[in-house]
Amino acid sequence: MLHEARLLDDGKFDDWLALFTAEAWYWVPSEPDQADPVETVSLIYDDRRLLETRVRRLASPRMYSQEPRSRTSRIVGGVTIEESAANSCAVRSKFMMIEYRREQQRIFGGTALHGLVQAGGRIMIAWKRVDLVNCDAPLDGITIPF
């Protein structure tokens, strides 16, 4: 999680994407304790293909919602292993992300859950769920991953 946060803060979105497996998904629910990403609208629910599209957009000079580019700083703490198996585990952490753009600062905080797997001698992200503290509040466009 710390490596992932650093890649995101450094704007290394291709390297961030490389952390995910081919079947990975990334989910940001729109309600507290949301149980399903399909039955209820989510803030973000991307499979690997949509994650690739998101990263391509972030790299595009024509992404006007990121002109000028956001500067971010993430703090990750309270990391615990929730479940573990032979080649996988579920990890919970608390995070705070500060985003600064156009003389405005936004703060996001919440809980991140990662499904990690060992594949090809690497630890990769099979799935990621981000539960924002204010997930049900009005939120301006979210373009930078958490």
Side-chain angles (χ1 to χ4, degrees):
M1 273 108 349
L2 297 177
H3 178 64
E4 178 192 21
R6 179 181 227 169
L7 291 175
L8 289 169
D9 284 345
D10 291 346
K12 296 181 178 177
F13 299 112
D14 286 324
D15 294 341
W16 173 72
L17 180 63
L19 297 175
F20 288 84
T21 65
E23 302 82 26
W25 52 266
Y26 172 71
W27 181 28
V28 183
S30 63
E31 297 178 353
D33 303 317
Q34 185 174 334
D36 185 284
V38 178
E39 296 297 320
T40 304
V41 173
S42 298
L43 296 172
I44 299 171
Y45 184 54
D46 291 352
D47 61 10
R48 175 60 192 235
R49 193 180 94 249
L50 287 172
L51 277 173
E52 291 168 2
T53 300
R54 184 177 298 279
V55 167
R56 273 196 316 273
R57 286 183 184 150
L58 285 166
S60 171
R62 289 184 272 184
M63 186 174 190
Y64 299 112
S65 62
Q66 275 296 293
E67 190 54 46
R69 298 282 176 178
S70 294
R71 295 190 310 239
T72 60
S73 181
R74 290 168 176 78
I75 299 169
V76 178
V79 179
T80 58
I81 296 174
E82 298 293 302
E83 299 174 18
S84 65
N87 292 320
S88 65
C89 66
V91 178
R92 174 184 305 267
S93 62
K94 295 294 184 177
F95 76 94
M96 184 170 61
M97 180 183 92
I98 301 166
E99 178 185 27
Y100 180 78
R101 186 172 162 275
R102 292 193 175 158
E103 299 180 15
Q104 292 189 343
Q105 183 168 289
R106 299 194 297 175
I107 299 174
F108 298 93
T111 301
L113 298 162
H114 288 77
L116 305 178
V117 296
Q118 190 171 17
R122 296 178 54 204
I123 296 175
M124 300 186 73
I125 302 170
W127 55 266
K128 181 177 179 180
R129 174 181 171 143
V130 177
D131 290 303
L132 295 174
V133 171
N134 62 336
C135 64
D136 52 351
L139 296 169
D140 289 336
I142 297 172
T143 55
I144 301 293
F146 298 103

